[in-house]
Amino acid sequence: MAAFEYRQAAEVRDAFARHGVRYLFLGKSGAILLGFPDTTQDADLFVQRSQDNGRALVIALRELGFDLTEEQAAEVEHGKDFVQLKNGPFDLDLVFAPDGIERFEEAWERRLEVEGFPVCHLDDIIASKAATNRVKDRESLPRLRAFREYWMAKQRKRQ
Amino acid sequence: MRSGKSPPREWLAEFEAAAQRPLEMRLRYAFIRTHKPVLDDAPYRSFDTTADYRRWCEENLPDWLGYGCV
């Protein structure tokens, strides 16, 4: 399986937009979209949990080439907290209840857009990583917090 | 970053350099593909709760992958 690239990210963006899926890039993949220079292996999507959104998500995933059984589709549609997909053209983690973020709607209000990609605000990405408290997240947090300061200063200069 | 301390100069240089690159190039540099034992060995996994997922990572993944809690 190839690494996730711009083309695949654009396919996700376009398929999800066609079907009206509400989601946000989260985690390091989200930070990278915002300009954070680092490496990652996975794309994490924070998906709004609702029946309509779940149904649209399953249609979009199948259109992208994810091979979901009926049982798996039902789990995705109902929004299990965490779903790991490695049965498609690239790997995707679907996160319906990330650590450190209370509600999707709040994260949606704070979202940022980069070339049409909806991305969690850096504060939410950092909050989520801090709450997770994993070794790998602890290691990346100081650099991510430094990037947040750099990025905020740049935004202020633009205003 | 420790509170009150400036980030290392090389980090700022990296942030500036990344800001000059188009998104397509940033993604090409950022996403790498290596096989992660156990984690990559099933085409599909789901967890009722995020806590269940964290517990599964703790109990099943090699420590060096970094998915364990601090």
Side-chain angles (χ1 to χ4, degrees):
Chain A
M1 188 182 293
F4 194 74
E5 287 200 13
Y6 183 88
R7 185 173 58 85
Q8 283 103 3
E11 285 173 4
V12 169
R13 176 194 63 196
D14 297 344
F16 281 26
R18 266 196 305 280
H19 296 285
V21 180
R22 280 187 112 195
Y23 73 104
L24 297 160
F25 277 87
L26 178 67
K28 217 189 256 184
S29 56
I32 286 163
L33 281 165
L34 297 174
F36 183 53
D38 210 330
T39 55
T40 189
Q41 302 194 55
D42 312 300
D44 304 321
L45 305 181
F46 179 16
V47 188
Q48 182 190 37
R49 186 187 271 144
S50 76
Q51 203 168 14
D52 286 348
N53 204 48
R55 206 172 296 133
L57 174 62
V58 166
I59 294 169
L61 287 171
R62 282 182 163 154
E63 200 174 288
L64 285 165
F66 285 89
D67 187 19
L68 296 171
T69 65
E70 286 309 309
E71 190 183 341
Q72 292 166 354
E75 289 182 350
V76 171
E77 193 172 318
H78 291 119
K80 279 207 168 192
D81 271 11
F82 191 93
V83 179
Q84 207 166 52
L85 299 176
K86 294 178 187 293
N87 52 3
F90 43 83
D91 294 351
L92 272 185
D93 286 348
L94 307 175
V95 192
F96 289 87
D99 291 319
I101 304 176
E102 283 293 309
R103 294 175 59 245
F104 180 87
E105 290 306 325
E106 291 167 8
W108 181 258
E109 287 300 311
R110 293 188 288 265
R111 78 187 182 281
L112 302 159
E113 287 225 355
V114 182
E115 296 188 19
F117 296 99
V119 185
C120 277
H121 193 281
L122 273 169
D123 288 343
D124 285 324
I125 293 172
I126 289 169
S128 164
K129 285 203 169 289
T132 300
N133 206 28
R134 294 182 300 191
V135 174
K136 72 190 196 93
D137 294 321
R138 277 292 180 94
E139 287 168 359
S140 64
L141 269 172
R143 196 160 179 270
L144 194 52
R145 288 193 171 114
F147 176 72
R148 185 232 182 239
E149 296 308 312
Y150 163 85
W151 185 86
M152 294 293 278
K154 261 197 126 171
Q155 303 303 307
R156 281 194 293 271
K157 270 188 201 165
R158 280 188 189 154
Q159 287 167 0
Chain B
M1 185 176 49
R2 279 170 293 173
S3 174
K5 292 250 179 178
S6 297
R9 206 174 296 166
E10 63 266 26
W11 286 3
L12 294 175
E14 288 168 13
F15 299 161
E16 283 293 344
Q20 306 305 315
R21 296 182 200 120
L23 180 58
E24 189 166 349
M25 191 185 288
R26 290 210 308 271
L27 293 191
R28 197 182 313 139
Y29 289 166
F31 285 92
I32 52 168
R33 177 79 203 159
T34 56
H35 179 78
K36 296 187 286 300
V38 186
L39 195 67
D40 287 343
D41 294 343
Y44 177 94
R45 282 193 190 93
S46 68
F47 299 88
D48 286 331
T49 69
T50 307
D52 289 345
Y53 167 64
R54 302 282 174 234
R55 200 172 309 116
W56 180 85
C57 290
E58 286 266 9
E59 291 169 1
N60 293 279
L61 300 181
D63 290 346
W64 59 265
L65 278 179
Y67 282 72
C69 289
V70 176

